[in-house]
Amino acid sequence: MDAADPLAALRDRFVLDTVTDPATGLPDVYLDGNSLGVLPRTVPDRIADVLHREWGELRIRSWTESGWWTAPERVGDKIAPLIGAGPGRVVVGDSTSVNIFKAVVGGVRMAGKGCTEILVDATTFPTDGYIARSAARMTGLAVRPVEPARIADEVTERTALALVNHVDYRTGALNDLPGITHALHSAGALAVWDLCHSAGALPVGLDAHHVDLAVGCTYKYLNGGPGSPAFLYVRESLQERFESPLPGWNSHAEPFAMDPSYAPADGVLRGRVGTPDILSLLALEAALEVWDGVAIEDVRTKSLALTDFFLECVAGYVPAGRARAVTPQDHRRRGSQVSLRCSGAGEVMDELIRRGVVGDFRHPDVLRFGFTPLYTSFADAERAAWVLGEVLGALPEVGPAVAGG
Amino acid sequence: MDAADPLAALRDRFVLDTVTDPATGLPDVYLDGNSLGVLPRTVPDRIADVLHREWGELRIRSWTESGWWTAPERVGDKIAPLIGAGPGRVVVGDSTSVNIFKAVVGGVRMAGKGCTEILVDATTFPTDGYIARSAARMTGLAVRPVEPARIADEVTERTALALVNHVDYRTGALNDLPGITHALHSAGALAVWDLCHSAGALPVGLDAHHVDLAVGCTYKYLNGGPGSPAFLYVRESLQERFESPLPGWNSHAEPFAMDPSYAPADGVLRGRVGTPDILSLLALEAALEVWDGVAIEDVRTKSLALTDFFLECVAGYVPAGRARAVTPQDHRRRGSQVSLRCSGAGEVMDELIRRGVVGDFRHPDVLRFGFTPLYTSFADAERAAWVLGEVLGALPEVGPAVAGG
């Protein structure tokens, strides 16, 4: 399967095989790219140049001469094709949480006058819920948690927007972005999508599906490095009405006029806030070079093949009944990770990592294995399932409701 | 003067003298450290290690094994002594603008019920005003701009807080932090200070003067690199009441419990939001090593000697009447920069930079020269004044009210 994989050569664009297990001599199998993507080979030299030449020698001149000032929108335009967005719709900077605040408050301000509530994906990654509640408190609305599959039924004319995860961080389930967006629009509500677990893993089609606002992280499938800045997407036809709750000087129409009164810039630049974090932004820009010549549709094809194969290997190698897949079998409902429920999951993951298979554990009983088609091989998938089988075969089975630490 | 300077040897901790003027063979005089500090020698090797080993090899394990997770508060504790704060009062992350939003909203929430207004320094750096207005809009208060010197007279029992710049970014004037803070407290209002132009340049004494909240930037006198993350200070006795408007998962009491309901962490960790930007945070941490063995009081002594000497040289070398100092002569009112008003300031600065003297221009007619005592020499100060004299002597005088571009 690896020999027939048209994306196999992309693996060389990453720093892999640096850590080998002393017992087997085999390199680690890294299936945690849905938490922190692997280092792309392009990054270290680029950052050395940013430090030594751009900062060390050119210093302040680099804001113009090295293109630092325009990096948030330039890097946004590089992410755009991966999520189905045209140019001028994506801006990069600040954390995912901060961007969710911008998107939710900005969305509420664009919603109808009579709106009283925000719907939030009931199984959301927690920060989305916390931030949505803060945004609701500060705009006088209420938050109502709703299962993504129920949004079409629950949305009313009082709903300002729904904040929904494209892929559930715990189960790996893919939510129906076109359908939910359409249902929200039919009720007059806006659709705000969290793409943390889909950007770089599968086609999103933001423009095609008329998504209103979206936010995503860049350190998972986009390999931008630990805590690299997040992105904000604002639909082109809404940009003129987008009012950020964080109108820093970088989003001003004339930032260097130092005008005491605020006038927003045109377009998605309104999503900028303060001085951009240049080291992290330029590391991300270099990391995005691994996408040169890669079509996100091919990434999706390989992702599904990898997760299918892993599920098949788990069925073959893991003792029956010891681990249950919670990631949907249906391709239309699957992201790019496989989550397995198993008793003692925390201890099981510790042991997997000791044996060179790096996934992660999510409270209370979920083993997560992320598949990054740019660098994960079919051999990786098989070895992970094999080692999981060894670990679960060797470990005594503990009670069904054990919560790991 | 340089031979007698006890801080002279610190210059070797920075990358200087990399760019030389082909005409004179002299290195650039860099007087723009109040906009972007010079690269400390410690940073590139540290970042190479972060990239190659911590990210490239350890990957996800570095969140615990390399101390990534605790970096925001650890780096905060390293900044703390420079601003007169005890441990556990400073946290680093996000931009200055985002932190001003946290501080102003957090302050309003701690203020008395009957408060109706926020005072904002009338000569503030614009972003403070924009963000304060957004915070006021979202908390139902009004913003009233007041000259810092008038705050003691203007504060009323309806004032929730005042947001004031410690040093004016344009004129370099130092505001009376102890006096203004005391006046605010006497009226029952909170004091929120913007330390962007004082942190690392002079003693601040946050704890000693009972400042409530403070925000500062780390890429000026703290040399953290372009867009390095800002810091937030919350007075110890207020931390329990501090409610951030950006309650991301990183400020949760148990971030990995993935609890759908929010419970804030204890202490200044409440100021954290999303995943910290590790590259920039660790570059800043390495940059702070230049402060080893340095007392901020000695930095202040040299800063005043440098700015005194520069003003004396300007008086001696610059044709009479061609440039007027707007930075106060009184040491108690002076920050660590000298601002000169002059006609055609934009063109004058362009010519200075061509001749190897790097300051900056601020709209409409201000030349700014920043003095960073850790690496600026008295010889730098003299040469800058000499070249300014040459430029102003050679350039035809333009009308008095010309605004540069």
Side-chain angles (χ1 to χ4, degrees):
Chain A
M1 293 174 86
D2 283 319
D5 171 17
L7 303 186
L10 298 175
R11 194 173 161 93
D12 294 337
R13 299 183 182 182
F14 294 87
V15 176
L16 286 162
D17 309 337
T18 51
V19 179
T20 51
D21 180 0
T24 61
L26 290 170
D28 269 6
V29 171
Y30 190 73
L31 299 180
D32 212 4
N34 55 336
S35 187
L36 175 66
V38 160
L39 173 65
R41 289 193 187 279
T42 43
V43 172
D45 286 353
R46 175 71 184 112
I47 290 303
D49 185 55
V50 171
L51 291 172
H52 289 287
R53 189 178 56 84
E54 295 187 3
W55 177 12
E57 294 183 15
L58 298 178
R59 298 182 191 133
I60 197 72
R61 289 163 51 190
S62 276
W63 280 108
T64 48
E65 292 179 29
S66 304
W68 289 355
W69 184 264
T70 52
E73 52 269 25
R74 184 178 70 241
V75 180
D77 280 346
K78 288 182 181 169
I79 292 172
L82 300 175
I83 53 176
R89 287 159 214 185
V90 180
V91 70
V92 180
D94 307 305
S95 68
T96 305
S97 300
V98 169
N99 280 292
I100 289 172
F101 189 73
K102 296 177 204 169
V104 173
V105 174
V108 167
R109 289 174 174 174
M110 290 190 277
K113 288 276 177 208
C115 291
T116 56
E117 66 169 15
I118 294 168
L119 303 185
V120 174
D121 177 348
T123 54
T124 187
F125 185 74
T127 218
D128 299 57
Y130 308 156
I131 294 286
R133 275 188 192 82
S134 175
R137 169 183 177 181
M138 299 188 78
T139 53
L141 273 70
V143 162
R144 184 157 58 99
V146 175
E147 295 283 335
R150 297 276 313 148
I151 289 175
D153 297 319
E154 296 283 346
V155 63
T156 77
E157 74 286 357
R158 296 183 313 280
T159 307
L161 59 86
L163 172 63
V164 198
N165 292 260
H166 195 193
V167 174
D168 186 284
Y169 79 101
R170 201 182 323 228
T171 64
L174 174 66
N175 287 314
D176 174 14
L177 181 142
I180 294 173
T181 301
H182 181 74
L184 287 164
H185 287 175
S186 300
L190 299 181
V192 184
W193 285 92
D194 178 335
L195 309 178
C196 284
H197 288 269
S198 63
L202 50 93
V204 179
L206 291 177
D207 285 350
H209 302 304
H210 311 293
V211 166
D212 300 297
L213 295 144
V215 170
C217 137
T218 65
Y219 49 79
K220 298 179 191 290
Y221 297 101
L222 296 174
N223 313 297
S228 59
F231 63 84
L232 173 71
Y233 165 91
V234 183
R235 182 147 70 94
E236 193 173 32
S237 62
L238 295 180
Q239 291 177 356
E240 210 182 320
R241 292 165 55 208
F242 179 73
E243 276 187 274
S244 172
L246 296 167
W249 72 295
N250 273 235
S251 67
H252 196 282
E254 292 186 68
F256 291 96
M258 303 287 163
D259 189 339
S261 61
Y262 182 73
D266 286 336
V268 79
L269 295 187
R270 292 184 178 197
R272 289 183 62 161
V273 185
T275 303
D277 198 324
I278 293 300
L279 286 194
S280 300
L281 200 43
L282 299 188
L284 169 61
E285 184 171 35
L288 290 169
E289 289 176 29
V290 300
W291 293 93
D292 286 354
V294 178
I296 191 72
E297 292 73 17
D298 295 338
V299 168
R300 176 62 170 166
T301 302
K302 182 174 173 187
S303 163
L304 290 170
L306 278 167
T307 49
D308 274 346
F309 181 60
F310 179 70
L311 286 164
E312 196 180 306
C313 292
V314 167
Y317 299 147
V318 171
R322 288 299 302 274
R324 184 170 59 82
V326 289
T327 302
Q329 293 288 337
D330 182 352
H331 283 182
R332 290 166 305 176
R333 294 276 293 128
R334 191 193 303 166
S336 199
Q337 77 184 49
V338 170
S339 295
L340 303 176
R341 212 154 232 165
C342 98
S343 65
E347 293 72 22
V348 171
M349 185 51 72
D350 288 347
E351 184 57 28
L352 282 173
I353 292 170
R354 266 192 292 277
R355 298 187 190 199
V357 174
V358 181
D360 61 21
F361 160 70
R362 282 295 176 265
H363 192 80
D365 60 356
V366 171
L367 302 172
R368 290 200 316 179
F369 302 93
F371 293 84
T372 306
L374 299 189
Y375 57 75
T376 307
S377 67
F378 292 90
D380 287 339
E382 183 177 18
R383 194 167 134 232
W386 179 264
V387 175
L388 177 64
E390 285 183 334
V391 169
L392 289 177
L395 277 184
E397 189 164 6
V398 289
V402 170
Chain B
M1 294 174 86
D2 283 319
D5 170 17
L7 302 186
L10 298 176
R11 193 173 161 92
D12 292 338
R13 298 183 182 182
F14 294 88
V15 176
L16 287 161
D17 309 339
T18 51
V19 179
T20 52
D21 180 359
T24 62
L26 291 170
D28 269 6
V29 171
Y30 189 72
L31 299 179
D32 213 4
N34 54 336
S35 186
L36 176 65
V38 160
L39 173 65
R41 288 193 188 280
T42 43
V43 171
D45 286 353
R46 174 71 184 114
I47 290 303
D49 185 55
V50 172
L51 291 172
H52 289 286
R53 190 179 55 84
E54 295 187 3
W55 177 12
E57 293 181 16
L58 298 178
R59 298 183 191 131
I60 197 71
R61 290 163 50 189
S62 277
W63 281 108
T64 47
E65 293 179 28
S66 304
W68 289 355
W69 183 263
T70 52
E73 51 270 23
R74 184 177 70 240
V75 181
D77 279 347
K78 288 183 181 171
I79 292 172
L82 300 174
I83 53 177
R89 289 159 212 187
V90 180
V91 70
V92 180
D94 308 306
S95 68
T96 305
S97 300
V98 169
N99 280 292
I100 290 172
F101 188 73
K102 295 177 205 169
V104 173
V105 173
V108 166
R109 290 174 174 175
M110 291 190 274
K113 288 277 177 206
C115 291
T116 56
E117 65 169 15
I118 294 168
L119 304 185
V120 174
D121 178 348
T123 55
T124 187
F125 185 75
T127 217
D128 299 55
Y130 308 156
I131 294 286
R133 274 187 192 83
S134 175
R137 169 183 176 183
M138 298 187 78
T139 53
L141 274 70
V143 162
R144 184 156 60 97
V146 175
E147 295 284 333
R150 297 275 313 148
I151 288 175
D153 297 319
E154 296 283 346
V155 64
T156 76
E157 74 285 356
R158 297 183 313 279
T159 307
L161 59 85
L163 172 64
V164 198
N165 292 260
H166 195 192
V167 173
D168 186 283
Y169 79 100
R170 199 183 325 229
T171 64
L174 175 66
N175 288 314
D176 175 14
L177 181 142
I180 294 172
T181 300
H182 181 73
L184 287 163
H185 287 175
S186 301
L190 298 181
V192 185
W193 285 92
D194 178 334
L195 309 178
C196 284
H197 288 270
S198 63
L202 49 94
V204 179
L206 291 177
D207 285 349
H209 302 304
H210 311 292
V211 165
D212 301 296
L213 295 144
V215 171
C217 134
T218 65
Y219 48 79
K220 299 180 190 290
Y221 297 101
L222 296 175
N223 313 298
S228 57
F231 63 83
L232 173 70
Y233 165 91
V234 182
R235 183 146 71 93
E236 195 174 31
S237 61
L238 295 179
Q239 290 177 358
E240 211 181 319
R241 294 165 53 207
F242 179 73
E243 276 187 275
S244 172
L246 297 167
W249 72 295
N250 273 233
S251 67
H252 196 282
E254 291 186 69
F256 291 95
M258 304 286 166
D259 188 340
S261 62
Y262 181 73
D266 285 336
V268 78
L269 295 187
R270 293 184 178 197
R272 290 183 62 163
V273 185
T275 302
D277 198 325
I278 292 301
L279 285 193
S280 300
L281 201 45
L282 299 188
L284 168 61
E285 184 171 34
L288 290 169
E289 290 177 27
V290 301
W291 294 92
D292 286 354
V294 178
I296 192 73
E297 293 73 18
D298 295 337
V299 168
R300 176 62 169 166
T301 302
K302 181 175 173 187
S303 162
L304 290 170
L306 278 167
T307 51
D308 274 346
F309 181 60
F310 179 70
L311 285 164
E312 196 182 306
C313 292
V314 167
Y317 298 148
V318 170
R322 286 301 301 276
R324 182 170 61 82
V326 290
T327 302
Q329 292 288 336
D330 181 352
H331 283 182
R332 292 164 306 176
R333 293 275 293 127
R334 192 193 300 165
S336 198
Q337 76 183 51
V338 170
S339 295
L340 304 175
R341 213 155 230 162
C342 103
S343 65
E347 292 73 21
V348 171
M349 185 50 72
D350 287 347
E351 185 58 27
L352 282 173
I353 291 170
R354 267 193 291 277
R355 297 186 191 200
V357 174
V358 182
D360 61 22
F361 159 71
R362 281 296 175 265
H363 192 79
D365 60 356
V366 171
L367 302 173
R368 289 200 317 180
F369 301 95
F371 293 84
T372 305
L374 299 189
Y375 56 76
T376 307
S377 67
F378 291 91
D380 286 340
E382 182 176 19
R383 195 167 132 231
W386 180 264
V387 175
L388 177 64
E390 285 182 335
V391 169
L392 289 177
L395 278 184
E397 189 165 6
V398 290
V402 170

